[in-house]
Amino acid sequence: MKFLSEYRDPELVKEYIQELHRITTKNWTLMEICGGQTHSLVKNGILDMLPEKITMVHGPGCPVCVTSVSVIDEAVWLAEQPNHILCSFGDMLRVPGSKKSLLEAKAAGADVRILYSPLEAVELAKQNPNKEVIFFAVGFETTAPANALSVVHAAQQNLLNYSILASHVLVPPAMEAILSDEANVIDAFLAAGHVCTIMGLEEYYPVAEKYKIPIVVTGFEPVDLLQGILMAVNQLEKEEYKVENQYSRAVLREGNKMAKDTIQKVFSISDRVWRGIGSIPQSGFEVNERYKLYNARLKFHIDIPFAEENKECISGDIMKGLKKPKQCPNFGSKCKPEHPLGAPMVSSEGACAAYYHYSSDTIAQ
Amino acid sequence: MCLAIPGKIIAITEQLDETFRKGKVSFGGILKEVSLYMVPEAIVGDYVLVHVGVAINIVDEEEAKLTFSYLKSMGEVEELNTPDSIKNNS
Ligand code: SF4
């Protein structure tokens, strides 16, 4: 465990932990949605400080982890076509597709570039008029405005050699999929702070109401997470179910209007296959009719067979909160960050990788 | 890749029209060109939360500094040094 003094506000951390111990009378299972939160909970040793009655399970909020095998195959196929430059966030490169990862495609000669921003990909398209530049647009609602903006920018400059492969996923439909699963064990959610910076709170009220479940929009620093957990447990103990905003310093109730408008301009809502979970209706963004010239799927007539997931990986159970990473028989043996079998072992925001790197009990194993 | 990192706008570098604005943002000394499209009211000197090259919100200065030092201590600002990132011409 870390020393208290290492935290940004050690006194507050201490206070929240004491308060949590004081108010918790029943067993509660909470799910944090965002992979950044998972990473912070594990890395900062917060799981070890919570009362025994509180169990944290780790949700599907890591875009790297939920991008399906078939979409990785699409990206690999796009990268392998002559005269193509496939651009991606770095985390995606090691995610295994059905035959290979983008990193393996790159090693075999495909032009795959790691970029910090989709806007850089638009620049790249401008600099390389004789090449097709495709951005692998993954992410949750947080990333959607940037990816949408890249399309708006490209259209405005009449760049016809730019397109995106969209694999966007949305938080509220995933929450509903988890809650309506028969095996559901979740009593409360910590919603993802930066997702709500964009989207605001509105879409969470119906979910809280329908499933009678507390939802606390929470940041990712230790004090945020502890305060978010405290707010959720407080509601649970009082049998309340409200949407609360722990992260008001970065989240307004209405979100960011410009960002939401940009998303709406470029994307429409579509069904999406989540790796490990399966298809969730109306849970993703696809480039809409108006910007179809910028949709790589249509532009290059991608037609590759649907790929089955690796059956050895139990990431679906982990992302639904039914199992912990170390309950996977492959954890740390057949599946390690250097040789990932499944996506949650790839990104540092994936639950398996977070446990592998930081959890004291796995290190002791 | 999911985090937004706070930084300070030190210059407006490009203004195509009212909305298409870019600015130079300093993340504890690391400079990046950032789109200010989503934060039309932001001005030089403001602190903004930046996610994959796009500012998504204006934040309080004190708060921005604390968050940045937390992220830095956790090694979470590495993505600003993405290897293949193309050079900006500006
Ligand atoms: S340890 Fe590996 S194989 Fe097991 S669930 Fe995690 S990613 Fe999948």
Side-chain angles (χ1 to χ4, degrees):
Chain A
M1 200 205 272
K2 293 179 58 126
F3 293 109
L4 264 184
S5 58
E6 290 173 40
Y7 294 109
R8 164 161 152 184
D9 194 339
E11 278 312 304
L12 213 50
V13 167
K14 207 156 118 193
E15 224 172 88
Y16 288 151
I17 293 169
Q18 282 170 352
E19 183 64 7
L20 259 176
H21 277 90
R22 194 183 66 76
I23 65 165
T24 311
T25 65
K26 301 198 185 95
N27 289 319
W28 302 115
T29 300
L30 278 62
M31 174 179 273
E32 83 280 359
I33 290 288
C34 156
Q37 293 169 333
T38 307
H39 181 78
S40 180
L41 281 172
V42 180
K43 190 168 183 175
N44 288 298
I46 295 171
L47 298 179
D48 303 330
M49 302 174 183
L50 299 176
E52 266 179 30
K53 288 190 155 69
I54 298 178
T55 307
M56 297 302 298
V57 292
H58 316 302
C62 156
V64 180
C65 305
V66 299
T67 301
S68 70
V69 180
S70 295
V71 175
I72 302 287
D73 287 352
E74 288 181 315
V76 168
W77 183 88
L78 282 169
E80 286 175 335
Q81 302 313 302
N83 250 344
H84 280 198
I85 305 176
L86 191 281
C87 309
S88 167
F89 296 125
D91 289 2
M92 296 305 297
L93 262 68
R94 282 187 302 123
V95 181
S98 69
K99 293 192 190 68
K100 54 178 110 159
S101 64
L102 281 170
L103 194 62
E104 286 158 335
K106 185 178 165 83
D111 195 348
V112 177
R113 313 251 183 123
I114 300 173
L115 297 185
Y116 159 68
S117 165
L119 300 177
E120 293 177 329
V122 178
E123 281 301 312
L124 199 62
K126 215 151 105 187
Q127 292 167 11
N128 294 275
N130 301 322
K131 301 225 173 188
E132 286 290 340
V133 174
I134 303 127
F135 190 77
F136 191 7
V138 299
F140 278 87
E141 291 92 328
T142 325
T143 318
N147 288 336
L149 187 61
S150 76
V151 170
V152 176
H153 265 296
Q156 222 198 16
Q157 299 171 67
N158 255 321
L159 280 177
L160 290 172
N161 62 331
Y162 178 72
S163 58
I164 66 174
L165 175 67
S167 183
H168 268 288
V169 277
L170 306 177
V171 168
M175 277 178 159
E176 292 216 46
I178 290 167
L179 290 171
S180 50
D181 193 300
E182 275 169 28
N184 170 49
V185 293
I186 316 296
D187 298 308
F189 276 114
L190 303 186
H194 290 152
V195 165
C196 297
T197 300
I198 305 294
M199 302 303 286
L201 305 182
E202 295 301 335
E203 50 189 5
Y204 294 92
Y205 292 103
V207 182
E209 189 60 41
K210 180 170 171 195
Y211 297 92
K212 312 226 174 313
I213 187 164
I215 300 175
V216 181
V217 176
T218 304
F220 53 88
E221 294 182 51
V223 268
D224 293 325
L225 286 158
L226 280 165
Q227 191 183 21
I229 294 169
L230 184 61
M231 288 163 83
V233 171
N234 211 351
Q235 285 195 46
L236 288 168
E237 291 283 346
K238 289 189 192 150
E239 294 180 31
E240 293 175 343
Y241 46 89
K242 294 184 291 195
V243 177
E244 285 186 295
N245 185 5
Q246 180 278 328
Y247 202 36
S248 58
R249 62 187 198 274
V251 175
L252 297 173
R253 189 186 162 118
E254 64 275 19
N256 180 326
K257 189 176 175 303
M258 273 305 262
K260 287 200 280 190
D261 287 352
T262 312
I263 292 175
Q264 268 212 334
K265 201 169 173 180
V266 174
F267 292 128
S268 54
I269 293 180
S270 67
D271 297 350
R272 175 77 60 217
V273 175
W274 295 55
R275 192 175 189 127
I277 296 180
S279 178
I280 304 178
Q282 307 283 291
S283 69
F285 286 137
E286 183 57 273
V287 179
N288 66 18
E289 194 48 35
R290 177 171 169 195
Y291 287 98
K292 65 179 177 208
L293 289 176
Y294 298 89
N295 182 343
R297 280 196 181 87
L298 300 177
K299 184 172 185 180
F300 301 108
H301 309 287
I302 306 181
D303 183 21
I304 50 170
F306 180 81
E308 290 290 332
E309 314 257 345
N310 184 334
K311 294 265 181 322
E312 286 182 90
C313 173
I314 60 158
S315 67
D317 284 351
I318 290 174
M319 289 185 290
K320 286 185 215 154
L322 305 177
K323 291 223 167 97
K324 291 273 189 171
K326 49 185 175 166
Q327 289 174 289
C328 172
N330 301 308
F331 180 87
S333 52
K334 264 168 105 176
C335 183
K336 289 182 179 189
E338 312 84 68
H339 307 284
L341 266 186
M345 192 54 102
V346 174
S347 160
S348 63
E349 284 153 17
C352 299
Y355 273 72
Y356 187 85
H357 287 300
Y358 304 115
S359 174
S360 51
D361 36 326
T362 55
I363 289 163
Q365 253 182 6
Chain B
M1 57 155 283
C2 286
L3 290 179
I5 302 173
K8 183 182 185 176
I9 304 176
I10 53 168
I12 305 292
T13 50
E14 212 182 311
Q15 178 131 25
L16 296 178
D17 58 35
E18 252 170 60
T19 49
F20 281 89
R21 287 195 308 157
K22 285 183 182 171
K24 204 140 248 158
V25 173
S26 166
F27 301 91
I30 304 174
L31 296 182
K32 282 265 169 194
E33 177 125 303
V34 163
S35 166
L36 302 174
Y37 184 88
M38 313 285 168
V39 287
E41 65 284 19
I43 53 170
V44 171
D46 278 350
Y47 282 77
V48 281
L49 269 183
V50 176
H51 177 66
V52 298
V54 176
I56 56 171
N57 203 359
I58 301 176
V59 283
D60 173 71
E61 169 169 358
E62 187 64 16
E63 172 52 36
K65 287 181 177 159
L66 288 169
T67 304
F68 186 80
S69 59
Y70 166 77
L71 288 173
K72 195 159 181 198
S73 74
M74 290 280 123
E76 310 282 358
V77 296
E78 289 304 306
E79 68 176 44
L80 294 171
N81 296 314
T82 301
D84 294 352
S85 280
I86 57 168
K87 301 273 169 290
N88 284 307
N89 299 328
S90 52

